[in-house]
Amino acid sequence: MNLMGCLVLSVALFAIGAFGLLTRRNIIAALLSLELMVNAALINFVGFSRFGGPSTGSGTAWHMDSQAGSLFVLFAVAVTAAEMALALAIVIALYRQRKSLDLRELDSLHG
Amino acid sequence: MDSMTTLASYGVLILPLLSFLLTGLWLGRKNWIASACTATFLMGLTFVLAVILALGYRTQILLHPELYPSATSVAWEHSWMTFGPGLAAHIGFYLDPISVMMVVVISFISFLVHFYSIGYMKGDKSAGRFFPLLSFFSFSMLGLVVSTNLIQTFFFWELVGAASYLLIGFWYTKPSAVAASKKAFIVTRFADAFFLMGMLVVGTQSGGFDFLHVNDPAAAVILNRSVGTGMFAFNLLSVSTVLIYLGAWGKSAMFPLHVWLPDAMEGPTPVSSLIHSATMVVAGIYLTARLFPLFAAAEGTLRVVEFTGAFTALFAALIACTQTDLKRILAFSTLSQLGLMMLSLGLGGSSEGGAVQTLAYTASMFHVFTHAFFKSLLFLSAGIVIHAIHSNDIRDAGGMRKSLSWTYAATLIACLAIAGIWPFSGFFSKEEILQSALKGGHYIALAAGLLTSVLTAFYMSRYFILIFHGTKRSHASEHGHDAHEGILMVLPVLILAVPSALIGWLGKDFFLAHILPYTAGASAAGISESHESGSFSWLVPVTSILIMSAIGAGWYFYGRKKWSAGFSEGQEPGWYRVLRNKFYVDEFYGFLVRKVAARFVATPANWTERKIINGAFDETSGVFRRLAIRLCKFQNGQVQVYLSVALLGLYALYWIGRMVH
């Protein structure tokens, strides 16, 4: 497993997530796809943290501590969990009102 | 010029303006009687100052030809608007025989008209609005006559027009008054446009707008050249003077721009009196006289002046014989007299000897002077009659001799004066005009003048007899409960009767000696060669006999045979109907505007407006509207569509970034 492997995995996950987000009609499935996209981004963090960024030399301004990437991922996982709880609460409220979870029917913002 | 005279010259302009501001902004709204008294008092003071000015002018300038060879001076002059180096408008006070004469006449008549209006406007709800306008009118005309340059003249010329518009349409709830005021304004504005053009040509080509400069023979020499080529070659002097004359043409209501004047009697009678005698219509004559040295250099222009005057004089006199409206008869008589004045100015050109004939100019100014008195008298007395019978129609009047005895006497004097009976004032001025026509060999003008005098005598005797003699006809004059003469209204009429009777006899020698068309700088000696009068002694008895017989005819038809003012229904001969309808000039204009202008100008213009201009805008906006409707379809509320577009946009941005790098 090297950096390239991580990046390929991340791109694949992101593409799957994006495809799902754009095509699934169920809100929960769309949220799952969204989560996949977030996680694709997190894999990038982990990969760069583990295998090093483009510049490993010292003294450059944007070089960060290799632990920082992993810490950031842990932090992001917590935030995402909270965010998902909020999103699911909205979905439940929406279902109570509409009796439907079809994304295509939620078009009251049309021009 | 001593300080007293200078002070008086400031006063005659400032006091009427002060009266306008004081009564217009403050007193007129509160209390009409206070505003009337203030305005009348200030105009009286203006008259006193005008007399002081005239006396000062006489003793210090006119009687010192060694110091002032042209009897012309500028009392004061201030720079007013500076347009650029060498081009500035000045406002000043020009002193020469005719400007001082006009200042005295205007302030005198305006004072009496103000005084008369106190009685006339009593009971009118809008009387408070009347006096400021009257003062404004007087101020404008005073500013016009004392102008030192063409720009100031034009400015006050327009103020006179605006003031007359406001006063003719004074009773603005009456549709006919509104129409008349619009007509007066539009017709004179039409003519003013030509005046402006001519003024600019003269000012820019001769190098200055000052009368002292323009009236210099050198200016005429500069202007006297040909410009343009081929078909469009013309003499600059002729063109510019004719253009300026066109302005005077409209203001002095020469045919065919005369149509506004008979309608102007829709205003209150004091206004008609002021318009017809001293202010509005005289402005055109005055302008022509003011620029007389320039006009005299252009022979063709003087012929135009002469023939428009002659035609208008005769044309209006014929119409006046058939009108039945009191004030309309007087209006056409004004037109006819204005025609005589213009005709006389036109006679002033160089005669066979090459010398400029100045007697005609003097005669014209003399007629302006005498006409002002008797015409304002006639209008003011007509106002008394109208008040008494509550009608403008001469057929409602009749037998007013007993109830309006003072008015009767005064009107008699004015009628004799306008008819030209010795020794009343009109006799002298009219005689001078006919003499100069004969002397210059202008036989057409002479014939027109004679015929006009005869017709004037006839229609004035018709007017007089139908109003004051015979039996009482109207309901109001039968009962006579209103037919009394208020002292406020009779007094000015009686005062005016004095100059109407005597001023010709008293003023003749003065006018012949002093009222000359001086050219600036040059002495009057060179041009006054042909300035002796009375060389044709047979003319006086001949005209007097003609005029007497015309009066006799009027008396015979309307006094003895008791003709009424018009024919009864169906018995009217064709020629009479043509005259009564004023040669259908108004109808012709109506045809011109409604049919010709509407069909060939207004309709195509309207089509272009709607189809081409509006159409182009509609089409352009339609394209964008349809495009917008298409674009609206993307806004369908589908989150996933938005997201796709956003992602595509991101991708596009990425590629744009690639390409830029």
Side-chain angles (χ1 to χ4, degrees):
Chain A
M1 195 82 181
N2 54 11
L3 183 60
M4 186 50 78
C6 283
L7 291 185
V8 167
L9 176 65
S10 161
V11 167
L13 265 183
F14 189 85
I16 292 164
F19 180 76
L21 185 62
L22 292 181
T23 52
R24 298 308 299 260
R25 300 182 65 154
N26 191 309
I27 293 181
I28 294 175
L31 281 176
L32 282 175
S33 309
L34 193 65
E35 201 58 23
L36 278 184
M37 288 166 77
V38 172
N39 284 320
L42 295 185
I43 284 171
N44 268 4
F45 278 112
V46 174
F48 282 116
S49 158
R50 171 72 180 81
F51 299 109
S55 168
T56 49
S58 60
T60 52
W62 53 278
H63 176 74
M64 291 175 75
D65 187 0
S66 61
Q67 303 299 312
S70 308
L71 278 172
F72 198 80
V73 168
L74 286 175
F75 185 68
V77 165
V79 170
T80 314
E83 183 193 307
M84 269 300 131
L86 198 64
L88 285 172
I90 292 174
V91 167
I92 288 165
L94 201 65
Y95 181 76
R96 279 184 185 156
Q97 201 185 13
R98 298 242 174 173
K99 301 288 173 214
S100 155
L101 287 179
D102 191 343
L103 207 51
R104 304 276 161 93
E105 288 173 11
L106 302 176
D107 63 348
S108 57
L109 280 178
H110 66 85
Chain B
M1 292 285 295
D2 59 4
S3 56
M4 187 71 184
T5 317
T6 316
L7 207 63
S9 69
Y10 276 108
V12 293
L13 277 192
I14 290 170
L15 286 183
L17 182 63
L18 181 72
S19 162
F20 164 57
L21 294 176
L22 203 62
T23 57
L25 296 179
W26 178 47
L27 279 173
R29 294 161 186 273
K30 310 243 178 245
N31 182 349
W32 82 269
I33 196 83
S35 102
C37 292
T38 311
T40 309
F41 173 72
L42 287 174
M43 274 321 291
L45 213 54
T46 309
F47 173 60
V48 171
L49 290 181
V51 170
I52 291 171
L53 173 77
L55 291 176
Y57 170 75
R58 183 170 177 274
T59 53
Q60 290 164 62
I61 294 175
L62 198 60
L63 298 182
H64 291 283
E66 71 282 357
L67 292 176
Y68 298 96
S70 58
T72 303
S73 173
V74 173
W76 45 266
E77 195 166 33
H78 301 290
S79 180
W80 176 33
M81 290 183 283
T82 312
F83 301 119
L87 182 61
H90 297 287
I91 186 161
F93 201 102
Y94 199 74
L95 286 171
D96 84 335
I98 57 171
S99 73
V100 175
M101 181 268 278
M102 286 306 292
V103 166
V104 174
V105 171
I106 294 164
S107 56
F108 178 63
I109 288 178
S110 173
F111 166 60
L112 290 178
V113 167
H114 272 75
F115 190 85
Y116 176 90
S117 304
I118 300 177
Y120 192 84
M121 298 307 285
K122 193 169 63 190
D124 193 306
K125 278 198 285 293
S126 44
R129 192 160 50 85
F130 185 69
F131 289 90
L133 292 177
L134 216 52
S135 296
F136 178 54
F137 202 7
S138 314
F139 162 70
S140 318
M141 191 64 192
L142 285 167
L144 171 67
V145 297
V146 302
S147 296
T148 56
N149 56 67
L150 279 166
I151 296 176
Q152 187 187 352
T153 304
F154 187 74
F155 180 78
F156 282 102
W157 182 271
E158 293 301 332
L159 283 188
V160 169
S164 70
Y165 166 78
L166 291 170
L167 281 167
I168 294 168
F170 180 75
W171 286 315
Y172 57 80
T173 49
K174 213 164 76 174
S176 59
V178 174
S181 65
K182 277 194 290 192
K183 194 172 181 181
F185 195 69
I186 291 168
V187 171
T188 53
R189 278 295 304 154
F190 172 72
D192 293 351
F194 295 106
F195 175 27
L196 184 60
M197 284 189 254
M199 177 187 112
L200 291 176
V201 172
V202 167
T204 52
Q205 296 298 312
S206 77
F209 288 94
D210 282 357
F211 287 129
L212 285 172
H213 171 81
V214 170
N215 279 341
D216 198 294
V221 173
I222 296 172
L223 284 173
N224 195 0
R225 60 191 160 90
S226 219
V227 290
T229 50
M231 255 179 71
F232 299 100
F234 46 77
N235 184 296
L236 202 57
L237 180 63
S238 307
V239 168
S240 56
T241 46
V242 165
L243 282 174
I244 292 181
Y245 177 60
L246 277 171
W249 194 319
K251 205 66 141 191
S252 285
M254 295 287 110
F255 176 85
L257 299 181
H258 67 281
V259 289
W260 66 269
L261 188 58
D263 286 10
M265 53 122 204
E266 286 292 341
T269 307
V271 176
S272 309
S273 176
L274 207 51
I275 285 181
H276 286 260
S277 61
T279 51
M280 178 87 174
V281 291
V282 179
I285 312 280
Y286 184 81
L287 179 71
T288 314
R290 168 57 69 223
L291 290 171
F292 184 77
L294 186 67
F295 277 46
E299 185 67 15
T301 310
L302 284 184
R303 291 290 81 72
V304 174
V305 174
E306 180 188 342
F307 285 110
T308 47
F311 186 81
T312 309
L314 208 53
F315 170 85
L318 279 171
I319 294 172
C321 295
T322 60
Q323 295 302 302
T324 52
D325 186 304
L326 234 71
K327 287 169 77 179
R328 221 173 255 273
I329 296 174
L330 294 179
F332 277 104
S333 110
T334 305
L335 278 177
S336 166
Q337 301 301 313
L338 288 169
L340 278 183
M341 296 169 201
M342 273 298 184
L343 170 154
S344 183
L345 281 174
L347 295 174
S350 43
S351 51
E352 59 271 29
V356 175
Q357 196 201 346
T358 56
L359 176 64
Y361 170 89
T362 308
S364 176
M365 287 298 103
F366 195 22
H367 200 52
V368 167
F369 182 67
T370 56
H371 176 259
F373 296 108
F374 56 68
K375 186 48 63 68
S376 62
L377 196 167
L378 281 172
F379 267 104
L380 295 184
S381 64
I384 295 178
V385 173
I386 290 168
H387 247 214
I389 63 174
H390 296 294
S391 162
N392 275 11
D393 199 317
I394 199 163
R395 286 166 293 196
D396 295 339
M400 310 296 289
R401 189 169 32 139
K402 292 276 160 51
S403 48
L404 303 176
S405 47
W406 288 109
T407 315
Y408 170 77
T411 311
L412 179 62
I413 289 172
C415 285
L416 292 174
I418 195 174
I421 297 292
W422 189 86
F424 296 98
S425 60
F427 166 81
F428 296 93
S429 50
K430 211 174 272 189
E431 203 56 44
E432 293 300 327
I433 292 176
L434 296 177
Q435 283 284 358
S436 50
L438 188 55
K439 212 143 71 75
H442 298 273
Y443 298 110
I444 298 173
L446 177 69
L450 270 177
L451 208 52
T452 306
S453 303
V454 169
L455 286 169
T456 306
F458 178 74
Y459 68 71
M460 284 321 292
S461 54
R462 169 180 181 266
Y463 171 85
F464 185 73
I465 291 163
L466 285 176
I467 291 179
F468 291 103
H469 287 268
T471 48
K472 295 188 174 186
R473 276 182 284 266
S474 87
H475 211 58
S477 59
E478 261 166 36
H479 292 302
H481 59 274
D482 268 315
H484 62 276
E485 305 168 287
I487 182 73
L488 284 175
M489 284 158 74
V490 169
L491 199 60
V493 172
L494 293 179
I495 293 172
L496 277 169
V498 176
S500 297
L502 300 176
I503 207 79
W505 181 62
L506 293 174
K508 185 184 174 192
D509 291 333
F510 181 81
F511 266 80
L512 284 178
H514 293 298
I515 307 282
L516 294 167
Y518 295 101
T519 52
S523 93
I527 53 166
S528 62
E529 282 167 26
S530 52
H531 193 81
E532 66 276 11
S533 72
S535 43
F536 294 93
S537 53
W538 56 267
L539 191 61
V540 177
V542 168
T543 43
S544 292
I545 288 169
L546 284 175
I547 287 169
M548 290 302 252
S549 43
I551 293 177
W555 177 257
Y556 179 73
F557 290 135
Y558 293 101
R560 288 285 299 283
K561 296 188 79 176
K562 308 230 180 288
W563 281 7
S564 66
F567 286 88
S568 48
E569 203 66 42
Q571 288 181 339
E572 192 175 48
W575 60 269
Y576 194 88
R577 189 178 310 122
V578 172
L579 285 182
R580 190 171 53 78
N581 286 310
K582 298 158 274 176
F583 288 99
Y584 295 103
V585 177
D586 279 312
E587 284 74 7
F588 174 71
Y589 281 136
F591 168 77
L592 216 58
V593 170
R594 281 191 212 105
K595 295 280 152 51
V596 180
R599 190 162 301 163
F600 296 105
V601 181
T603 311
N606 185 28
W607 186 86
T608 317
E609 165 79 24
R610 275 189 299 117
K611 298 287 174 187
I612 295 182
I613 298 175
N614 279 357
F617 279 116
D618 283 352
E619 203 47 50
T620 319
S621 66
V623 167
F624 284 106
R625 201 158 44 89
R626 284 192 289 274
L627 195 66
I629 289 170
R630 295 265 165 79
L631 286 173
C632 265
K633 294 284 192 298
F634 287 104
Q635 195 86 10
N636 61 359
Q638 296 292 341
V639 185
Q640 289 171 326
V641 174
Y642 295 170
L643 198 60
S644 322
V645 173
L647 285 176
L648 277 175
L650 199 63
Y651 190 62
L653 275 177
Y654 168 73
W655 273 106
I656 290 168
R658 283 286 297 265
M659 279 192 291
V660 167
H661 281 289

